[in-house]
Amino acid sequence: MFDEMMETLNRERLRNLQLSRLRNLIDRLLVSPNDRPRLRSLGLTSGEDVDLNTLKRLPFTTKDDVVDRYQVAETLVDEIVEWHGSSGTGGRETLIPYTRRDIKTWGALCARLLVSAGISEKSIVANAYGYGLFTGGLGYHYGLGCVGASVVPLGLGPMARLVRLMRDMQIDTLACTPTYASRILEYLKVTGMDPRESMNLCVGVFGAETFSEEMRGALETGLGLCAFDLYGLSEVTGPGVAGECRERAGLHVNEDHFLLEVIDPTTGKECADGVTGEVVLTTLSKEAKPVLRYRTGDLASVSHHLCPCRRTFARISRIQGRLDDMVIINGVNIFPRDIEEVVFASPHLSGEFIVVLSEHGSRAVVACESAGMDREARYEVEAALAARLGIAVRAATIPQGSLERGDMKRGRRVITAGTPEASSLLNQLEL
Amino acid sequence: MFDEMMETLNRERLRNLQLSRLRNLIDRLLVSPNDRPRLRSLGLTSGEDVDLNTLKRLPFTTKDDVVDRYQVAETLVDEIVEWHGSSGTGGRETLIPYTRRDIKTWGALCARLLVSAGISEKSIVANAYGYGLFTGGLGYHYGLGCVGASVVPLGLGPMARLVRLMRDMQIDTLACTPTYASRILEYLKVTGMDPRESMNLCVGVFGAETFSEEMRGALETGLGLCAFDLYGLSEVTGPGVAGECRERAGLHVNEDHFLLEVIDPTTGKECADGVTGEVVLTTLSKEAKPVLRYRTGDLASVSHHLCPCRRTFARISRIQGRLDDMVIINGVNIFPRDIEEVVFASPHLSGEFIVVLSEHGSRAVVACESAGMDREARYEVEAALAARLGIAVRAATIPQGSLERGDMKRGRRVITAGTPEASSLLNQLEL
């Protein structure tokens, strides 16, 4: 373990630490011009007015609250040493400031998760997360720096270079988004290279996106490594929030720095262990732009069962989907990830797909890339989708390479019929 | 100053420090399987066998010596925490390893130069050097971290985002290659934005490439900032080797970490102060892959005059050109930078140009991008080139935007007639 003392802290001491950090956070928010009015209106005058139970009466923070982008508590402006942000879907990015201590904490929290996945100071790591404003590249970079591993900071450079260096330098660890790992796999297939023969990959740390167990299986088999899921988001520091240990039975949340809640997204009430709801996080130590009860939009369940790895931090299940990714097909809630499971399991498909939803959501076609799948195989996929989703969904194939490949993260996976994008795609379908 | 004690060290104490570090370097090279044979054959058995004068009898290191890429002293393999490298012109990059202490030293040396250019913990900096394997992005990032400035790690992201953030965040410092700064200027002209009205830029730190005083002037006027030249190269750590102080009369070399020589590239003899020759550097503190008398290929002169800024480190002139960039036109040695001076001074030209050299080097055409220059203006440029270069050179114009813009560094600026590249260009010339 990277920080055994904290990672195995008993529950009572952890709760005490959380409470003291929460009170400190409330004190800091009470002097921030942005947050004071809201908190004062609830009768709060100091951190002493809250405990871990009354927390549940405090207001949530949403993405929109975080987006008034350049606002930072005046007192901190001089202490900011770095800005990061998500690329943002609506054109404008969410920018998050960090103090020197925030950067230090961030590195240490990422380091815990990397060590937890088996990375050590002996590892040689290709960091193929995008470096720059995106939290992926530098977040993992800082974490690997804390571990003392040897980092090759490749970013999103040319794929040929990445693959050549992985082979020549006998790189043993790959850090990137699952989408990028999938592109690497595709590149290897096209160039006819078998990584299990020429490379030395052992561990993959894949984050910044959800991915199904089927995709994990495909990446593990194809790249010859053991894949670990890591979780984090820009609004809550970036990577470093939670990650899988060797047990790979849920992701341990760094609870000494992030207060975890899982709530029913409709009622806002806390979910019991094992019940899927929206992940809500409070940053307990972040100095610049901390968040109180941030609604992540990510769906998961929580488990407080003690893990065989001895870490006492609660675990969240792998993220089941995002609230805003959910599509309703004929009245049934479907996540693109459910479809990914089926598509990745088929040996006839590349793994890339897009869902074309009818205008009123009554029907859907899952257009899958294939190097040439016959009709019977398509029926197989349709049957598997029906079994997985509980509704009948049409499958169709499009030629391999038809769908655009983003460099960093997966693009939209659901489009609506009637749009120009959908029309151009429908023309290609081998229905 | 960032490190006043070292930056104002008197010459005698500096020489003593250099000697002790040089001896330590020789000791370390004597246990490296790569370097031992060469040094033993000169009769060296320990660092005590050398002093700063006998150094001149030791062998040079060239780029080819550094390129046996993945070789590192065995004893250090476990201590490497990072790899960097130049993108490499021949397809394969030169990879340079760093120990934890190397990274720390690198940051502090960059910090000296950044503080020297007026950057402080109050600065808010757009770092638009490419992040990743290239030493520019992370080198400046580490330096800015040591200074405590507020960094926006933009890398080579979209230009529109960079410009929007420079305006919205009132960024006061721009760090990038001069080529990239030139692209920004071009973008601002196209979009009709005047940075002196809407932005708050004060300082530009431009490195990784040479640029003329004329280009500096154009960037300063166009972007409304004061531009500083910084110097470094991957084989010798990266940025952090030398930089201009507020006097802007040469670049102070961090002589406590880099031993400077300027030699006649033909005879290998040391040049007197003020005489242009090839810069040769020895890394005095680098742990992983140090270099002894590395021939940089960069041409400059040295000055030991005391600078009014009180820094005692010797200064090199701005780099006059690269040995391998030099072209011989009709028997006269010409550097692309000499041409840049003339092209940047013309109000009719975009600043982008390429030299098409006749097959036997007897004639040259300088093809300049122009939004529409009349014949007389072209004659003016020809006259200016003749005055600057001492030989008659033909000028021609090509439409604005014809020449490829690299993201990171300037591409080749000289091509030879008869090649397909030259033919396609010659077809566009308005001769």
Side-chain angles (χ1 to χ4, degrees):
Chain A
M1 288 185 210
F2 181 77
D3 185 359
E4 185 158 356
M5 208 263 282
M6 292 309 294
E7 292 177 69
T8 59
L9 208 61
N10 76 47
R11 241 22 235 175
E12 194 193 330
R13 292 181 62 186
L14 177 64
R15 298 299 275 177
N16 287 338
L17 178 65
Q18 287 178 327
L19 177 61
S20 109
R21 289 185 170 171
L22 177 65
R23 288 179 165 166
N24 179 279
L25 169 65
I26 299 291
D27 283 336
R28 286 184 289 128
L29 293 176
L30 276 167
V31 296
S32 144
N34 298 327
D35 300 284
R36 184 174 30 213
R38 217 164 47 142
L39 295 178
R40 291 299 289 268
S41 72
L42 291 167
L44 297 184
T45 58
S46 104
E48 294 301 314
D49 296 338
V50 300
D51 61 35
L52 294 174
N53 289 317
T54 57
L55 172 75
K56 292 171 185 55
R57 288 189 283 112
L58 299 183
F60 291 114
T61 305
T62 63
K63 176 114 184 166
D64 288 340
D65 299 321
V66 178
V67 164
D68 6 299
R69 281 176 308 290
Y70 312 130
Q71 280 188 338
V72 193
E74 278 299 324
T75 47
L76 272 174
V77 169
D78 282 352
E79 291 169 45
I80 289 166
V81 297
E82 210 163 312
W83 292 84
H84 280 280
S86 56
S87 48
T89 38
R92 295 229 157 191
E93 50 289 306
T94 308
L95 283 178
I96 310 292
Y98 298 71
T99 65
R100 196 178 285 278
R101 185 186 295 208
D102 288 338
I103 294 287
K104 212 173 153 186
T105 306
W106 188 21
L109 293 179
C110 287
R112 284 185 191 171
L113 307 181
L114 295 168
V115 168
S116 184
I119 296 171
S120 74
E121 75 281 358
K122 303 270 184 205
S123 303
I124 172 157
V125 185
N127 187 3
Y129 283 99
Y131 276 75
L133 212 51
F134 175 49
T135 53
L138 283 168
Y140 280 91
H141 189 83
Y142 294 144
L144 292 163
C146 289
V147 173
S150 185
V151 189
V152 190
L154 290 161
L156 302 173
M159 188 68 78
R161 181 179 78 181
L162 168 74
V163 168
R164 175 164 42 77
L165 290 181
M166 286 206 293
R167 185 195 61 205
D168 289 357
M169 300 180 80
Q170 289 290 292
I171 285 172
D172 52 41
T173 306
L174 172 64
C176 63
T177 61
T179 290
Y180 202 69
S182 195
R183 302 271 176 282
I184 297 172
L185 194 55
E186 193 173 44
Y187 177 89
L188 292 171
K189 277 179 188 159
V190 169
T191 55
M193 201 190 290
D194 181 351
R196 283 162 307 183
E197 276 174 21
S198 53
M199 293 186 191
N200 187 31
L201 287 173
C202 303
V203 171
V205 276
F206 301 136
E209 282 176 339
T210 65
F211 58 112
S212 62
E213 284 300 332
E214 283 66 22
M215 187 168 176
R216 164 151 42 196
L219 294 175
E220 294 194 327
T221 312
L223 296 169
L225 49 71
C226 187
F228 291 84
D229 191 0
L230 279 81
Y231 175 69
L233 59 169
S234 304
E235 296 78 7
V236 185
T237 306
V241 174
E244 289 180 322
C245 64
R246 283 291 187 177
E247 301 293 325
R248 300 200 295 173
L251 290 77
H252 288 282
V253 176
N254 278 319
E255 285 189 283
D256 50 341
H257 292 268
F258 306 104
L259 201 55
L260 169 72
E261 298 170 82
V262 173
I263 62 160
D264 180 304
T266 317
T267 64
K269 291 263 165 63
E270 190 160 15
C271 294
D273 271 34
V275 176
T276 298
E278 184 178 1
V279 175
V280 171
L281 293 164
T282 296
T283 56
L284 290 171
S285 58
K286 188 105 192 309
E287 293 186 331
K289 209 149 192 167
V291 284
L292 182 66
R293 305 194 81 202
Y294 181 71
R295 289 185 66 152
T296 62
D298 292 318
L299 298 169
S301 61
V302 66
S303 162
H304 287 89
H305 275 294
L306 196 65
C307 182
C309 78
R310 295 197 303 117
R311 287 176 181 83
T312 50
F313 293 147
R315 282 168 287 167
I316 49 171
S317 67
R318 303 191 63 214
I319 304 295
Q320 303 300 305
R322 283 192 53 76
L323 266 176
D324 46 10
D325 275 351
M326 192 177 75
V327 282
I328 303 174
I329 303 172
N330 219 355
V332 178
N333 300 351
I334 308 280
F335 291 101
R337 195 183 132 143
D338 301 327
I339 296 165
E340 183 186 281
E341 280 184 24
V342 173
V343 174
F344 255 93
S346 165
H348 306 287
L349 304 176
S350 79
E352 297 286 336
F353 69 92
I354 196 157
V355 180
V356 186
L357 194 63
S358 68
E359 278 181 76
H360 304 292
S362 56
R363 281 170 303 111
V365 178
V366 176
C368 314
E369 277 191 9
S370 163
M373 177 176 72
D374 64 17
R375 189 170 298 189
E376 275 166 54
R378 209 162 76 213
Y379 292 156
E380 268 176 40
V381 170
E382 286 184 353
L385 283 170
R388 178 68 189 79
L389 308 177
I391 50 164
V393 168
R394 192 75 183 276
T397 55
I398 45 177
Q400 176 115 26
S402 303
L403 297 174
E404 205 187 320
R405 272 108 171 110
D407 260 344
M408 213 131 90
K409 287 192 180 198
R410 230 174 271 140
R412 274 191 306 149
R413 308 186 92 175
V414 181
I415 55 178
T416 308
T419 59
E421 201 180 356
S423 307
S424 110
L425 187 75
L426 287 167
N427 286 334
Q428 296 182 60
L429 293 188
E430 297 163 13
L431 284 163
Chain B
M1 288 184 209
F2 181 78
D3 186 357
E4 185 158 355
M5 208 264 282
M6 292 309 293
E7 292 176 69
T8 60
L9 208 60
N10 76 48
R11 236 30 231 174
E12 195 194 329
R13 291 181 63 188
L14 178 63
R15 299 299 275 177
N16 286 338
L17 178 65
Q18 287 179 328
L19 177 60
S20 111
R21 288 184 171 172
L22 176 65
R23 287 179 166 167
N24 178 280
L25 169 66
I26 299 291
D27 282 337
R28 285 184 289 128
L29 293 176
L30 278 167
V31 296
S32 143
N34 298 325
D35 300 284
R36 184 175 31 215
R38 215 165 47 142
L39 295 177
R40 290 299 290 267
S41 72
L42 291 166
L44 297 184
T45 58
S46 104
E48 294 301 314
D49 296 339
V50 300
D51 60 35
L52 294 173
N53 290 317
T54 56
L55 172 76
K56 292 169 185 55
R57 288 190 283 112
L58 299 185
F60 291 113
T61 306
T62 63
K63 177 112 183 165
D64 287 341
D65 298 321
V66 178
V67 165
D68 7 297
R69 279 175 311 288
Y70 313 130
Q71 279 189 339
V72 193
E74 278 299 324
T75 47
L76 272 175
V77 169
D78 282 351
E79 291 169 45
I80 288 164
V81 297
E82 211 163 312
W83 292 84
H84 280 280
S86 57
S87 48
T89 36
R92 295 233 156 190
E93 50 288 307
T94 310
L95 283 178
I96 311 292
Y98 298 71
T99 65
R100 195 180 286 278
R101 183 186 296 211
D102 288 338
I103 294 286
K104 213 173 152 184
T105 306
W106 187 21
L109 294 178
C110 288
R112 284 185 190 172
L113 307 181
L114 296 169
V115 167
S116 184
I119 296 172
S120 74
E121 74 282 358
K122 302 272 183 204
S123 304
I124 171 157
V125 185
N127 187 4
Y129 283 98
Y131 277 75
L133 213 52
F134 175 49
T135 52
L138 283 168
Y140 280 91
H141 189 83
Y142 293 144
L144 292 163
C146 288
V147 174
S150 184
V151 189
V152 190
L154 289 160
L156 302 173
M159 189 67 78
R161 180 179 78 182
L162 168 74
V163 168
R164 175 163 43 77
L165 290 181
M166 286 206 294
R167 186 195 61 205
D168 289 358
M169 299 180 81
Q170 290 290 294
I171 284 172
D172 52 41
T173 306
L174 173 64
C176 62
T177 60
T179 290
Y180 202 69
S182 194
R183 302 271 176 283
I184 296 172
L185 194 55
E186 192 173 44
Y187 178 88
L188 291 172
K189 278 180 187 158
V190 169
T191 55
M193 201 190 290
D194 182 352
R196 283 161 308 184
E197 277 174 22
S198 53
M199 293 185 191
N200 188 32
L201 287 174
C202 304
V203 171
V205 277
F206 301 136
E209 281 176 342
T210 66
F211 58 111
S212 63
E213 283 300 332
E214 284 65 23
M215 187 167 177
R216 163 149 45 193
L219 294 175
E220 293 194 329
T221 312
L223 296 170
L225 48 72
C226 188
F228 292 84
D229 190 359
L230 279 82
Y231 175 69
L233 59 168
S234 304
E235 296 78 7
V236 186
T237 306
V241 174
E244 289 181 321
C245 64
R246 282 291 188 178
E247 301 293 327
R248 301 200 295 173
L251 290 76
H252 289 282
V253 176
N254 278 319
E255 286 190 282
D256 51 341
H257 291 270
F258 306 105
L259 201 56
L260 169 72
E261 298 170 83
V262 173
I263 63 159
D264 180 306
T266 317
T267 65
K269 292 263 164 65
E270 191 159 14
C271 293
D273 270 32
V275 177
T276 298
E278 184 178 4
V279 175
V280 171
L281 293 165
T282 296
T283 55
L284 289 172
S285 57
K286 187 107 191 314
E287 292 186 332
K289 207 148 192 167
V291 285
L292 183 67
R293 307 193 81 202
Y294 181 72
R295 290 186 67 150
T296 64
D298 293 317
L299 298 168
S301 61
V302 67
S303 162
H304 288 89
H305 275 293
L306 197 62
C307 183
C309 79
R310 296 198 301 116
R311 287 177 182 81
T312 49
F313 292 148
R315 281 167 290 166
I316 49 171
S317 67
R318 304 191 63 214
I319 303 296
Q320 303 301 306
R322 282 192 54 75
L323 268 176
D324 46 11
D325 275 350
M326 194 177 74
V327 280
I328 303 172
I329 303 173
N330 219 356
V332 178
N333 298 353
I334 308 280
F335 290 101
R337 195 183 132 141
D338 302 327
I339 296 166
E340 183 186 281
E341 280 183 26
V342 173
V343 174
F344 255 92
S346 165
H348 306 287
L349 303 176
S350 78
E352 297 286 336
F353 69 92
I354 196 157
V355 181
V356 187
L357 193 65
S358 69
E359 277 179 76
H360 303 293
S362 56
R363 281 171 302 111
V365 179
V366 177
C368 314
E369 276 192 9
S370 163
M373 178 175 74
D374 65 15
R375 188 170 298 188
E376 276 166 51
R378 208 162 77 212
Y379 292 157
E380 269 176 42
V381 170
E382 285 183 353
L385 283 170
R388 179 68 188 81
L389 308 178
I391 50 164
V393 168
R394 193 71 183 277
T397 55
I398 44 176
Q400 176 115 27
S402 303
L403 297 174
E404 204 187 323
R405 272 101 173 116
D407 260 342
M408 212 130 90
K409 288 193 180 196
R410 230 173 273 140
R412 274 191 308 146
R413 308 186 91 175
V414 181
I415 55 178
T416 307
T419 59
E421 201 179 355
S423 307
S424 109
L425 186 74
L426 286 168
N427 286 335
Q428 296 180 59
L429 291 189
E430 296 163 15
L431 283 163

